[in-house]
Amino acid sequence: MRFLHPEFGWYFVAACVTVVLLRWRLRRPFVAVSTVRWLAAPVYRASILRRLPVAVFAIALALVGCALMQPVLPYAQAEIRSRGLDIVIALDLSSSMLEEMGRVRPPRTFQNLTFTTQDSAAASKSVKTRLTATKDAIKTFVASRRDDRVGLVVFSDNAYVISPLTFDHEYVIRYVDLIDDQLLRGEGMTAIGDGLALSNYLLSRQSESAGGRNQVVILFTDGENNKGRDPLEVLGESNAANIRVHMVGVDLEEGVRNKPQVQRLLQSVRRYGGRYFNATTARDLELASRTIDQTEKGVLVSRPFVRDLPVYQWFALPALLCLVAAILLRAIPFFIDYT
């Protein structure tokens, strides 16, 4: 506890001393008689309890003086503000996402890029397809991003917004569950550039009033770009808009990964501040999601400050009670001072 105005206490003490001196100077005179020695005997001495009203009144004055000095209790507080991210997840829905994770595949041609019913039957017999494993990793990632807005974009021949940026993560997870091989039926190509461009557009439109939140795109794909815009060009646009892009290769074939076009894409992702994860198993997908979750953190601002809590009532209320008690005691004949 401390006092904001301790000088008020000295002023109050000076005022009390002045009042006491004036009262002493103006006290009533008395006549001395020869029997004064009898009054000095112990049997005639007044009880000390008769001074109780004066003592209670003095305590009340002391408490009033403490209250006038404005006592406060200083305490520290810390204001913590968490500013999350705007994250768009771009999911590849090309026909190859229906293949089983880790499956040995023949070289891909334009003819086998088209979705067929045989692919659907094979996918249904497998334990976990690329799409299923990726959906599980996405749901785990979304559930862990408490302070972030998350959006969802899918792409194949074209790109589509499944969910705008939202804090309702249960809503996003339900839409992830609804994604299946029939969602983009009739498409089967891999338009990575279009998926990234739509993600950038979604971030730019919904982040205008978000107060400068950091923006991230997470791309899940299992192939190379073979339709639509050039992803290198779109990555340059992302970098110009301060959008960081991470890429997760979902069981990406070594032959595809070593192609010059794909290597330039991976190098551009790294050059612009993003990371590439090669996930050949469902466990690798979960690990990639956790790594991105640990890497992409929102801004946490902590601002400590000290406040003073006024506690004058701790003194003012007891002073009032003492003052009332002193007045009541003076009304009792035993405590009346006749001198």
Side-chain angles (χ1 to χ4, degrees):
M1 181 186 294
R2 66 188 184 92
F3 296 96
L4 295 181
H5 298 284
E7 67 277 7
F8 289 175
W10 294 110
Y11 300 156
F12 186 74
V13 170
C16 291
V17 171
T18 303
V19 171
V20 171
L21 291 176
L22 289 175
R23 187 175 185 276
W24 178 75
R25 294 288 297 177
L26 297 176
R27 64 180 179 174
R28 289 175 296 178
F30 60 91
V31 178
V33 297
S34 60
T35 58
V36 68
R37 64 178 183 276
W38 298 347
L39 299 176
V43 69
Y44 296 108
R45 184 169 299 171
S47 174
I48 194 173
L49 292 178
R50 295 187 61 185
R51 301 297 181 184
L52 183 59
V54 177
V56 174
F57 185 73
I59 295 174
L61 291 179
L63 292 173
V64 170
C66 292
L68 291 176
M69 290 189 291
Q70 298 186 18
V72 294
L73 281 180
Y75 67 97
Q77 282 186 336
E79 181 183 10
I80 299 177
R81 296 179 181 178
S82 179
R83 188 176 67 189
L85 309 176
D86 283 339
I87 302 175
V88 173
I89 298 173
L91 175 60
D92 183 0
L93 285 188
S94 61
S95 58
S96 57
M97 288 291 287
L98 301 177
E99 298 179 6
E100 184 179 351
M101 290 286 291
R103 175 184 173 187
V104 179
R105 298 166 295 277
R108 302 203 309 177
T109 61
F110 178 81
Q111 287 75 14
N112 62 26
L113 285 174
T114 306
F115 174 79
T116 64
T117 56
Q118 294 180 353
D119 294 330
S120 178
S124 62
K125 296 178 183 178
S126 62
V127 177
K128 224 171 195 182
T129 64
R130 295 175 179 176
L131 179 58
T132 303
T134 304
K135 286 168 56 179
D136 291 342
I138 291 175
K139 289 188 290 185
T140 301
F141 175 80
V142 171
S144 64
R145 307 301 297 189
R146 184 182 62 180
D147 298 324
D148 302 330
R149 294 196 304 175
V150 180
L152 181 61
V153 169
V154 297
F155 63 90
S156 183
D157 288 11
N158 302 284
Y160 308 90
V161 175
I162 300 298
S163 169
L165 292 171
T166 177
F167 286 108
D168 190 351
H169 296 166
E170 292 296 329
Y171 166 85
V172 178
I173 291 175
R174 284 197 299 269
Y175 270 96
V176 173
D177 286 328
L178 293 175
I179 296 175
D180 58 14
D181 56 286
Q182 299 298 314
L183 184 63
L184 300 183
R185 188 173 182 179
E187 300 187 15
M189 306 293 282
T190 306
I192 296 177
D194 289 350
L196 287 176
L198 184 57
S199 300
N200 292 345
Y201 177 77
L202 182 61
L203 287 170
S204 64
R205 287 298 299 269
Q206 287 197 254
S207 297
E208 291 177 353
S209 59
R213 297 165 67 93
N214 293 333
Q215 302 171 347
V216 178
V217 174
I218 304 175
L219 172 68
F220 290 87
T221 182
D222 69 336
E224 60 180 315
N225 184 75
N226 50 34
K227 188 177 178 63
R229 295 186 57 184
D230 182 6
L232 299 180
E233 176 187 347
V234 181
L235 276 175
E237 297 174 357
S238 301
N239 182 63
N242 294 320
I243 300 174
R244 189 163 46 253
V245 179
H246 299 291
M247 180 175 174
V248 180
V250 183
D251 197 16
L252 193 61
E253 303 173 33
E254 184 177 358
V256 175
R257 190 169 61 250
N258 292 332
K259 287 185 177 181
Q261 177 187 2
V262 177
Q263 284 297 313
R264 287 195 298 269
L265 176 61
L266 302 185
Q267 292 171 3
S268 297
V269 168
R270 297 189 183 100
R271 183 171 68 251
Y272 294 140
R275 297 185 61 179
Y276 170 73
F277 301 89
N278 187 36
T280 57
T281 64
R283 184 176 180 181
D284 292 339
L285 279 171
E286 294 289 345
L287 180 61
S289 297
R290 287 198 300 268
T291 303
I292 296 175
D293 178 55
Q294 296 171 0
T295 303
E296 295 294 348
K297 295 297 183 182
V299 179
L300 190 66
V301 180
S302 177
R303 188 180 64 179
F305 56 93
V306 178
R307 285 184 175 178
D308 292 329
L309 178 66
V311 291
Y312 63 90
Q313 65 275 11
W314 291 5
F315 300 94
L317 293 179
L320 180 61
L321 294 176
C322 290
L323 184 61
V324 172
I327 294 174
L328 294 177
L329 289 174
R330 292 297 297 269
I332 300 175
F334 177 78
F335 296 106
I336 297 177
D337 186 7
Y338 292 101
T339 61

